[in-house]
Amino acid sequence: MTDIVIRRCTLRVVRHGGWSWGADRSAVLERATQALPRLIAARLAQLLEAGDGEIDTVLRLRVPLRAAQWRSEAGIADAIAVAIKAEALPEGILHRAAMPPAIDATTASPIEVAASSHPQTGTEAEQHAAAETPLALLLRWRAQGDLPRRLRAFSLRALDLWLEAALDDAPVHPVEAAQPVSFNLALAERVYAGVAAIAEPATARAVTRLILVLEAIVRQGRPPDAVSLLARIDAILPGAAPVGDLRDPAQQLGRDSGRDKASAAVPGADDTRTAVTPLRGRARPIGIPDSEIALASVLPFLVLGALARIGWMEMAAAAIRALALPDDGAVFAAALALKAMPGHGRLGTAELQRTAAAFAGLRNLPSPNAFRDWCRDSDGGLSPLAGFIAAEMANGHDSQQPLLICRLAGASWLLLDGDGRMPVAWEGDSAAILQRLAGFGPSVILVSAAAAEPALLRGLMAARRGFVTAAPPGRGENWRRLPGAAPRWARSGDMPLPRLMTAARLLPELEATAEALTSTLFAAGPATRSLSATPEGEALERIAALTAATGLGLLAWTLWRKRETVDPLLALQRLGDLDGTARVSADAFEIRPAIGRRYLDLREHRLLGDVRSVPWLAGRTIRFIGP
C-alpha cells in the first residue's frame, strides 16, 4: 500500500444557521477527525500512483454537509469521500524526490524497522527518547522522501554532528558478517544533482555524504570500519575535496563539541562546576528541589506545548542529542524561557530568573559565563531548529497572504508571514532569507525600505518573485508605481495588479508588527544581554527568539484568530502574567496554572496537553494539572 505522509492538516468545522450541533458537539468533530485522514490518504494514493512525489502547496477542501449526514459517522465519511473524489490534483506541484531508491521491505535491515515505530519496552521516557534520536529522524525523513529538503537547512557543523550521531546510534555488524557496501558513481551523482539544485555546493556535498552514509546504515547497519566507508564515499563525491574528517566511531567521536571534553560545566545550584561524562542518553539529574515552586508565568510551558503540537520537540530532542553537551540543552531552555516571558517591566528580574531556571530544570539561572560557554560549544548545532520552523511555516502558509522582508537593527534580517504575523526566519544576511523563501509558494513579497538593497531585489527578480517595496527603482529597473497615497513600487512578475495592491496596503501594518517583535522578543534579555557581542551568542539569541515567537504565535492563532487579527505579542500580553506552580515527580514535571477564565479557555482549545520526553528535564513529561 502507498505510504501517504501529511505534514500538516487543519480541520475547521463551521455551523451555519438552521440546525444545531446536537447533544454533544465534540462528538461531531471527533467523527470528522476519524474519517478525514483515511479518506484523504486513499484519494492521494490514487493521484500519486504514478510514482513518489510531494505536493508543496496548500490544498483546501470544502465539504458541505446536510443535517442528516452530520449526525452519523457514515454520513460524514460519505460527504468527505464525494468531495475528495471530485478534487483534482493541480498541475505543476508534484516533485519527484531526489533520493536513492527505497530499500525493499524484505531486505531492509532491522534498524529501519525499529526507527519507524516506538519500542514496546522500557519506561515512557525511554520509549520516546529512542524515537527522537537523529538516526530515527533521518530515517523517517528518508521514508517520507523529504531528506534533501530538510537537510539543506543544516549548517556544515550540524551535518557533521548528525552524521556522527547516526553512526553512534546504528547497530554495528560483527566483523565476520560485515561486507563492503558498494556505492557507484551514478548513485552519488544522482543524489548530488538533486541536492545541488536546492543547496550551495559545500552544503550539497555534505548532505550527499550524509545521505549515502544513511543508505549504508539502512542496508547493513554501521560497518566496523566507518573510516573506510567514509573514504569510499568521499572518493566518488562530485566536486571538491571531502567534507570533514570524521574519526573512527569506535574511538571518542567529534571535534570541538561536548563529547571532546572529559568534563563539562552543568549550571546548577550556585553555578558550581560539576564533572559529567558527556554521553548520550544518560539521565541528567535536574537541579531543582523536589518541592512546589512558584512560577511568575506559566507561559514558557504553554509555548513548549504549542511547539510540541507541530513536532518541534522531536527535532529539538534530536538536535540536542547530536550536540551531546552534558546539560542536555538546559542552557538553551533557559534562554528560550527568558524570550517567552514579558521581561520588560512586567516581571521582576528575580521572579523571571527563578521561573526560567525552573523551566530548564535548574536551581539557578545559568551565569553569563555559562551562556557564553554553551554558545561556543553549540555553535552551528542549532541550525536544524531554525530550518524546522521555516519548513513548517512554509508547509502551512496561505499563498494568498504576503510575506514581509525587513531589516532589523544591525545586520539582522527578518522574514515575517502575513498570515498570523509569525516570524519565519531571522538571519544574518539577505542570501539566507532568499534561501528560506524557496520553500514558499507564489506569495507577494513585501520589502521594507531599509531591506531594499540591490542584492536582495536582484535575488527576488532572479526567482521571478512579485514584490512590493516603498523604495524607488534604480536605473534600468522596470518597476510599476502602484496608485495610492503612499508611494509603492512593484515588480509584478505573474501577479495581477489587484493582488499587488491588496498586499501593499498591509505593508505599514506588517512593518509595525516587525518593529514591535524587534523591540520585545528580539531584544537581548536581562540574563543574556551580553550574548549578542559574539557571533555564537547572537546565534543563540536568534534561535531562542524565533522559537519563542513561533510558539507565542501558535497560541494566539489557536485562541483568537476567529475574532481578531493576531500576532505573537498578543499571547505575550494576555498570558504573560498567568502564574502557577510547578512540582517535580519521578516521571513528570507537573504545572498547575492559576484557575480562571484563561485556564478554561486554554483547556477548551486543548492547549494543556502533555509534552513528552523533554530532554533538559531528564526525559520527564510536562503535565498540566487542574484544580
Side-chain angles (χ1 to χ4, degrees), residues 1-2 4-6 9-11 29-45 61 73 76-77 80-81 84:
M1 179 179 178
T2 304
I4 302 294
V5 178
I6 301 174
C9 179
T10 300
L11 173 64
L29 185 60
E30 290 177 3
R31 294 190 198 107
T33 303
Q34 292 172 2
L36 188 62
R38 174 175 52 82
L39 295 167
I40 288 179
R43 178 58 177 156
L44 288 177
L61 183 68
E73 184 176 346
I76 292 177
I80 294 175
I84 291 176

Side-chain angles (χ1 to χ4, degrees), residues 156-460:
L156 292 176
R157 170 97 192 282
L159 289 168
D160 193 10
L161 289 172
W162 282 55
L163 188 150
E164 295 179 27
L167 288 171
D168 272 358
D169 294 334
V172 182
H173 270 240
V175 175
E176 61 273 12
Q179 295 181 356
V181 177
S182 62
F183 290 108
N184 56 48
L185 184 60
L187 175 61
E189 288 180 341
R190 182 156 61 90
V191 175
Y192 179 79
V195 177
I198 59 175
E200 296 295 325
T203 302
R205 287 190 293 274
V207 168
T208 303
R209 191 179 195 232
L210 178 53
I211 290 175
L212 294 179
V213 167
L214 196 63
E215 286 300 305
I217 290 174
V218 167
R219 297 184 187 193
Q220 75 166 84
R222 190 183 89 200
D225 185 7
V227 174
S228 175
L229 168 66
L230 290 169
R232 293 199 303 275
I233 292 175
D234 289 338
I236 61 173
L237 275 178
V243 180
D245 177 27
L246 189 67
R247 284 174 282 174
D248 191 334
Q251 303 171 7
Q252 185 184 15
L253 283 172
R255 302 172 308 283
D256 300 325
S257 69
R259 65 180 81 87
D260 273 335
K261 302 173 176 62
S263 64
V266 178
D270 303 323
D271 194 39
T272 56
R273 300 276 170 170
T274 305
V276 178
T277 304
L279 297 175
R280 294 191 181 92
R282 74 193 175 284
R284 179 182 64 86
I286 58 179
I288 62 177
D290 187 10
S291 60
E292 195 165 84
I293 306 165
L295 302 175
S297 174
V298 299
L299 187 53
F301 300 93
L302 296 174
V303 164
L304 196 64
L307 292 168
R309 289 160 64 103
I310 64 171
W312 181 89
M313 277 304 307
E314 294 179 359
M315 171 62 84
I320 289 170
R321 186 178 177 90
L323 279 170
L325 295 177
D327 73 326
D328 292 330
V331 173
F332 168 70
L336 173 59
L338 291 171
K339 292 295 183 181
M341 287 188 292
H344 298 270
R346 297 188 62 180
L347 290 177
T349 301
E351 297 157 315
L352 181 146
Q353 291 184 359
R354 183 182 65 244
T355 300
F359 177 83
L362 303 173
R363 186 182 300 272
N364 296 317
L365 197 70
S367 68
N369 287 336
F371 273 113
R372 284 194 291 270
D373 290 346
W374 199 91
C375 291
R376 182 193 63 242
D377 294 340
S378 66
D379 183 26
L382 295 180
S383 61
L385 299 182
F388 174 83
I389 290 173
E392 291 305 308
M393 291 294 105
N395 290 340
H397 175 69
D398 182 356
S399 60
Q400 298 301 311
Q401 296 290 333
L403 296 157
L404 171 71
I405 300 176
C406 60
R407 191 166 188 175
L408 308 181
S412 297
W413 296 74
L414 179 66
L415 178 62
L416 190 74
D417 191 342
D419 194 15
R421 275 58 171 171
M422 284 192 279
V424 175
W426 183 18
E427 301 291 351
D429 55 66
S430 60
I433 290 291
L434 289 171
Q435 182 180 357
R436 298 298 189 199
L437 274 178
F440 286 83
S443 294
V444 177
I445 310 301
L446 302 175
V447 183
S448 68
E453 65 172 24
L456 174 68
L457 299 178
R458 284 196 300 267
L460 292 174

